[in-house]
Amino acid sequence: MKPIPMLDLYQQYKSIKPEINRAIFSVIKQSAYIGGQFVEKFESEVSKYLKIKYTASVNSGTDALLLSLQTLGIKKNDEVITSPFTFFATAEVIERLGAKPVFIDIDENNFNLNPDLIEKYISKKTKAIIPVHLFGMPCNMDKIISLAKKYNLNIVEDACQAIGAKYKNQYTGTFGNCGCFSFFPSKNLGAYGDGGLVCTNNQEIYEKIKFYRNHGSIIKYYNDEIGYSSRLDGIQAAILSVKLKYLDIWNSQRRQKAKLYNKLLSNINYLKLPDFQQKKNYYHIYHQYTLRVLKNKRKLIISALNNNKIQSMIYYPTMLPQLKPFKKYKFKSSDFPICSKIKDEVLSLPISPELTQEQIKYICQTLLKYN
Ligand SMILES: *Cc1c(COP(=O)(O)O)cnc(C)c1O
């Protein structure tokens, strides 16, 4: 068996090579490198796909979050509630604006922030909630929306790992004031470089994001505020337009692979599998297939996989409150009992539309030997 990487992007490219090459060449031919028709076309395609009024593309998922929070007026001394178990950028942008991230423990069944714990942490300073649809699994948006209404809070969804995921048949990212997506190459809809997008149903928010992404100006050379240089470039947009057509197929292929994993691994006593496949109301798109390795066996399992040339990853080995930039808040790990436990158990296995049945079987056979 050849080595099995987490993801093989070249394999994916080969499956759509003529279309991608044509798309790149058409941008070069028009020299539409920054802004222009390819970016506008992609934005309108995403709006249509997500069934939302406005989308503004930006430089990255991180900037999508940053510009959203700034547009909603998040500033010094505000508090923003989010998950301790996510990629750093989710909380980085809160801190960057001088606000304080308030981390809330996760639900051990789906790794997402536990909405039942939120209310206790809402203060006079709380301005927003950032739910993260981690690994492509939607959060329970009903609970989060009702709290946001009750306390008049903004919702900025971090849907960077969840493009195409659905909660109650509605796309993640379209519930909040803003929804943020990343086109980092390894994401389910990945560019060939950096990229991101904010979606919203609010025209004012949309205009403001476009204003900030372009140096705080609407009319060139008339800058009204300090902004950013945060635009999606034409080549990325053209590539993403091609790939968007395949997103639903690719996501459903990921779900099939996850289902096969779950079937083949169901009798392994040291594993706790993700059990979302059949869950009503939650359309999980498996950006990652992440299980829990119990009984202190994670190190052993990782090296067993390694010895068989199977890559695996730990998303995430740390919880955000314990990282240096957040230490000043003096959160204790006992504030996050579930997250503290789970970060030492999680393991993500290879998953992608290109992963074959044979590869999955081989991975599962390797894991079975340690039962
Ligand atoms: C990828 C990711 C981001 C950041 O996206 P970039 O495009 O890499 O800036 C933010 N939040 C989560 C949960 C992510 O997975």
Side-chain angles (χ1 to χ4, degrees), residues 44-104:
S44 74
E45 287 164 354
V46 178
S47 297
K48 204 169 153 204
Y49 174 82
L50 294 173
K51 302 186 172 73
I52 197 153
K53 279 194 190 147
Y54 308 105
T55 57
S57 57
V58 291
N59 219 331
S60 65
T62 305
D63 277 12
L65 291 161
L66 179 65
L67 271 59
S68 294
L69 290 183
Q70 187 163 350
T71 290
L72 294 168
I74 306 302
K75 57 184 188 319
K76 206 164 185 288
N77 296 324
D78 290 342
E79 292 181 0
V80 178
I81 287 172
T82 195
S83 171
F85 196 57
T86 169
F87 180 60
F88 181 66
T90 314
E92 183 183 29
V93 295
I94 301 170
E95 190 70 31
R96 153 97 47 223
L97 292 171
K100 176 187 176 182
V102 174
F103 299 106
I104 292 187

Side-chain angles (χ1 to χ4, degrees), residues 43-310:
E43 288 176 338
S44 74
E45 287 164 354
V46 178
S47 297
K48 204 169 153 204
Y49 174 82
L50 294 173
K51 302 186 172 73
I52 197 153
K53 279 194 190 147
Y54 308 105
T55 57
S57 57
V58 291
N59 219 331
S60 65
T62 305
D63 277 12
L65 291 161
L66 179 65
L67 271 59
S68 294
L69 290 183
Q70 187 163 350
T71 290
L72 294 168
I74 306 302
K75 57 184 188 319
K76 206 164 185 288
N77 296 324
D78 290 342
E79 292 181 0
V80 178
I81 287 172
T82 195
S83 171
F85 196 57
T86 169
F87 180 60
F88 181 66
T90 314
E92 183 183 29
V93 295
I94 301 170
E95 190 70 31
R96 153 97 47 223
L97 292 171
K100 176 187 176 182
V102 174
F103 299 106
I104 292 187
D105 206 6
I106 56 173
D107 179 337
E108 75 177 303
N109 294 312
N110 58 26
F111 307 131
N112 284 333
L113 150 155
N114 183 345
D116 295 331
L117 301 178
I118 293 177
E119 195 158 16
K120 221 171 65 186
Y121 293 86
I122 294 175
S123 77
K124 283 204 176 74
K125 294 179 174 178
T126 310
K127 294 288 156 58
I129 306 173
I130 307 184
V132 183
H133 308 290
L134 198 72
F135 305 143
M137 171 67 178
C139 294
N140 181 328
M141 290 311 296
D142 281 348
K143 287 190 180 174
I144 293 168
I145 288 166
S146 79
L147 280 171
K149 279 199 177 129
K150 187 168 165 191
Y151 293 96
N152 197 23
L153 306 175
N154 293 297
I155 298 174
V156 174
E157 291 177 77
D158 183 339
C160 286
Q161 301 186 2
I163 189 158
K166 284 176 255 184
Y167 174 71
K168 292 193 169 170
N169 232 9
Q170 183 181 337
Y171 285 109
T172 55
T174 64
F175 291 88
N177 305 70
C178 298
C180 301
F181 297 94
S182 163
F183 306 122
F184 186 84
S186 65
K187 301 285 158 86
N188 287 31
L189 180 62
Y192 290 4
D194 273 313
L197 180 135
V198 179
C199 73
T200 181
N201 275 314
N202 180 311
Q203 189 178 358
E204 249 173 83
I205 291 174
Y206 167 65
E207 301 290 351
K208 201 86 201 242
I209 301 275
K210 289 204 296 182
F211 170 80
Y212 279 133
R213 78 177 175 186
N214 198 27
H215 303 285
S217 78
I218 292 168
I219 303 163
K220 211 172 184 180
Y221 307 123
Y222 291 83
N223 305 73
D224 298 321
E225 251 186 80
I226 300 300
Y228 302 86
S229 171
S230 184
R231 296 161 307 217
L232 185 69
D233 68 68
I235 287 183
Q236 301 308 338
I239 289 166
L240 289 164
S241 279
V242 172
K243 292 182 74 172
L244 180 63
K245 292 187 291 183
Y246 298 97
L247 180 63
D248 282 348
I249 301 170
W250 285 340
N251 280 343
S252 78
Q253 286 170 342
R254 284 172 181 270
R255 284 169 59 82
Q256 284 162 18
K257 319 272 154 157
K259 199 173 178 179
L260 181 60
Y261 265 130
N262 268 19
K263 187 175 148 214
L264 299 177
L265 297 175
S266 62
N267 290 323
I268 298 188
N269 62 33
Y270 66 86
L271 294 180
K272 175 98 176 61
L273 306 177
D275 176 31
F276 315 124
Q277 191 84 36
Q278 283 85 20
K279 243 189 175 166
K280 217 180 136 228
N281 296 335
Y282 296 85
Y283 189 83
H284 187 340
I285 50 140
Y286 290 95
H287 171 59
Q288 297 297 343
Y289 178 82
T290 303
L291 41 67
R292 288 164 60 194
V293 184
L294 312 175
K295 305 182 179 179
N296 275 322
K297 275 191 172 185
R298 188 169 68 176
K299 243 190 177 153
L300 173 79
I301 295 307
I302 292 171
S303 70
L305 290 168
N306 255 334
N307 292 339
N308 288 281
K309 300 195 172 70
I310 300 162

